[in-house]
């Protein structure tokens, strides 16, 4: 074993972040390839959105067990198990997906894999870092989600341009396998501390979260944030392909996906900057202001489609930045409000509600597209994109008086 590689807190953070980025290579596979698979399989925008949502439904269904058990079982072993769930899901998509149900079920399994790597990855750090290091370093881990998203859009964009969707999902399975081996070989085991309260509490008893009023605001705001974030990420590529065609701009899919990956990296930086503001100013009030700013940007982004393609790109970037300002701070808020013996329970509820919101985002936008005129109508897209901003409006409402 190579446990010495994670002896220093920063080295431990780097390894866990690298594993998470590798395990997320699958993330953009459906958001990109839906452009081809939607007409091939005869799916409506609503059905297409529900395939996107299935990823987060799988995430939510797996979370109570895979995250809740981190109070009892070393998160390292949950992480390894979940990596193999993601591998199986990606392989099923590559080999068997041919319609709505086969795609949705396979994609849900990949989402379940993410449930057992993202928050348990956070718990790997919680169990191995001192309190001071934890506060400083956790925002970097949550921001690594943006790096994983960016890498996924970059790789999948090139695969979309030069090869098949089957190869995209096979590649995703390989990277998840590498992540599993990385965690197995470099992370030292650290069984979670057991207190009298945690020993008595059933691992699926999430009542501590609902009794913690300080955490609940952040938890519900996280659900609204994820509604917006994953609706944006789920439909952005399809919208940019449509907008480029509408304005007769010659740009290939690989270039667009590279732009989206750059947006994701910039979003990671915005998340870290937002977290630093929340350390200097009242956290809830600052996040609420971020939400108001993002809701306003959503309106501008929706209207930009009537003006110019390059303005669309500028507003897409600005919207991405404003969405991400509160991302790390919401999770850090929940962690800071949790007691050590029930942190897993709070993070499980945080994840269930957060990714429950994510599951509703893409289907909602697909539904709005269908009823407003379809994916070939600029007005329908404008209404759908402004609808995404409802998530940030809710963040503002939930936290503005805290």
């Amino acid at each position: 074993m190579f446990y010495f590689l994670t002896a220093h807190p920063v080295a431990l953070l780097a390894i866990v972040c690298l594993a998470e980025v590798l395990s997320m290579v699958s993330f953009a596979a459906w958001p990109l390839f839906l452009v081809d698979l939607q007409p091939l399989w005869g799916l409506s925008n609503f059905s297409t959105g529900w395939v996107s949502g299935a990823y987060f439904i799988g995430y939510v269904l797996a979370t109570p067990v895979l995250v809740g058990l981190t109070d009892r079982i070393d998160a390292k072993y949950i992480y390894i198990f979940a990596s193999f769930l993601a591998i199986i899901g990606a392989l099923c998509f590559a080999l068997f997906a041919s319609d709505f149900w086969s795609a949705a079920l396979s994609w849900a399994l990949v989402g379940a894999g993410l449930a057992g790597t993202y928050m348990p990855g956070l718990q790997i750090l919680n169990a191995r870092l001192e309190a001071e290091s934890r506060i400083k370093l956790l925002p970097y881990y949550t921001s690594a989600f943006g790096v994983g998203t960016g890498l996924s859009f970059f790789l999948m964009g090139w695969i979309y341009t030069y090869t098949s969707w089957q190869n995209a999902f096979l590649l995703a399975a390989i990277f998840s396998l590498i992540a599993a081996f990385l965690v197995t070989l470099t992370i030292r085991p650290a069984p979670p501390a057991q207190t009298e309260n945690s020993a008595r509490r059933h691992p699926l008893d999430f009542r501590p979260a609902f009794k913690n009023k300080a955490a609940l605001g952040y938890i519900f705001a996280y659900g609204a944030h994820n509604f917006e974030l994953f609706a944006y990420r789920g439909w952005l590529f399809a919208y940019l392909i449509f907008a480029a065609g509408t304005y007769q701009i010659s740009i290939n899919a690989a270039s667009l996906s590279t732009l989206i990956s750059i947006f994701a990296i910039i979003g990671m930086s915005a998340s870290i900057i937002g977290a630093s503001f929340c350390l200097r100013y009242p956290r809830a009030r600052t996040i609420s202001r971020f939400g108001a700013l993002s809701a306003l940007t959503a309106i501008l982004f929706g209207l930009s489609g009537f003006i110019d393609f390059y303005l669309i790109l500028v507003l897409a970037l600005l919207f991405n930045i404003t969405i991400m300002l509160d991302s790390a701070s919401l999770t850090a808020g929940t962690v800071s409000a949790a007691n050590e013996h029930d942190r897993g329970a709070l993070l499980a509820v945080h994840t269930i509600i957060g990714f429950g919101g994510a599951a509703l985002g893409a289907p909602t936008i697909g539904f709005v597209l269908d009823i407003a005129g379809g994916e070939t109508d600029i007005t329908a897209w404008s209404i759908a994109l402004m609808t995404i901003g409802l998530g940030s409006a809710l963040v503002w409402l939930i936290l503005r008086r805290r």
Side-chain angles (χ1 to χ4, degrees), residues 151-351:
L151 177 65
S152 180
F153 272 102
F154 178 78
L155 291 176
M156 292 300 163
W158 285 90
I159 294 173
Y160 178 91
T161 303
Y162 297 111
T163 184
S164 68
W165 61 271
Q166 290 93 339
N167 287 336
F169 286 93
L170 289 174
L171 181 69
I174 291 170
F175 274 100
S176 288
L177 182 62
I178 294 171
F181 275 109
L182 186 63
V183 169
T184 300
L185 295 176
T186 65
I187 304 297
R188 186 182 299 278
Q194 292 290 310
T195 66
E196 185 178 351
N197 286 336
S198 64
R200 286 200 306 262
R201 182 174 58 82
H202 190 278
L204 300 183
D205 178 5
F206 301 131
R207 285 176 295 178
F210 294 100
K211 294 177 181 177
N212 190 327
K213 293 182 179 180
L216 277 179
Y218 296 113
I219 289 171
F220 284 112
Y222 187 61
H225 162 78
N226 276 357
F227 171 93
E228 178 179 50
L229 175 61
F230 293 106
Y232 171 85
R233 288 178 174 170
W235 285 104
L236 180 61
F237 181 77
Y239 174 60
L240 293 182
I241 288 288
F242 162 78
T246 298
Y247 284 97
Q248 298 181 336
I249 302 296
S250 179
I251 184 169
N252 64 23
S255 298
L256 281 178
S257 65
T258 300
L259 274 177
I260 294 173
S261 70
I262 293 171
F263 289 1
I265 300 299
I266 294 173
M268 179 199 71
S269 301
S271 181
I272 293 172
I273 292 170
S276 69
F277 271 95
C278 288
L279 289 175
R280 284 184 281 172
Y281 304 103
R283 185 187 301 274
R285 188 177 303 171
T286 302
I287 292 173
S288 178
R289 290 171 179 171
F290 290 157
L293 177 62
S294 187
L296 175 62
T297 308
I299 296 172
L300 299 176
F301 181 41
L303 295 175
S304 66
F306 295 107
I307 301 172
D308 179 75
F309 178 75
Y310 295 102
L311 182 62
I312 290 172
L313 294 181
V314 171
L315 266 298
L317 172 59
L318 289 177
F319 190 27
N320 179 76
I321 290 171
T322 58
I323 291 172
M324 290 300 296
L325 282 172
D326 58 5
S327 188
S329 301
L330 287 166
T331 300
T334 300
V335 171
S336 66
N339 299 311
E340 183 176 353
H341 65 272
D342 58 17
R343 190 183 294 119
L346 262 72
L347 285 177
V349 174
H350 181 83
T351 304

Side-chain angles (χ1 to χ4, degrees), residues 128-160:
R128 292 161 177 81
L129 294 175
E130 299 296 330
E132 183 177 352
S133 296
R134 189 183 300 142
I135 294 299
K136 291 180 179 178
L137 297 180
L138 289 189
Y140 290 93
Y141 174 76
T142 55
S143 297
F145 198 102
V147 178
T149 302
L151 177 65
S152 180
F153 272 102
F154 178 78
L155 291 176
M156 292 300 163
W158 285 90
I159 294 173
Y160 178 91

Side-chain angles (χ1 to χ4, degrees), residues 11-67:
L12 173 65
L13 173 71
I15 290 292
V16 176
C17 286
L18 175 59
E20 190 58 29
V21 167
L22 293 175
S23 70
M24 287 184 62
V25 165
S26 61
F27 182 84
W30 174 253
L32 266 67
F33 283 96
L34 70 81
V35 174
D36 290 341
L37 295 178
Q38 179 181 0
L40 179 65
W41 294 343
L43 303 179
S44 67
N45 291 303
F46 189 49
S47 295
T48 301
W50 271 118
V51 175
S52 299
Y55 184 87
F56 301 107
I57 292 172
Y59 192 114
V60 168
L61 292 177
T63 289
V65 176
L66 297 182
V67 180

Side-chain angles (χ1 to χ4, degrees), residues 82-92 110 169 172-174 176-178 180:
S83 295
F84 282 93
L85 286 181
I87 291 167
I88 294 169
L91 290 176
C92 286
V110 179
F169 286 93
I174 291 170
S176 288
L177 182 62
I178 294 171

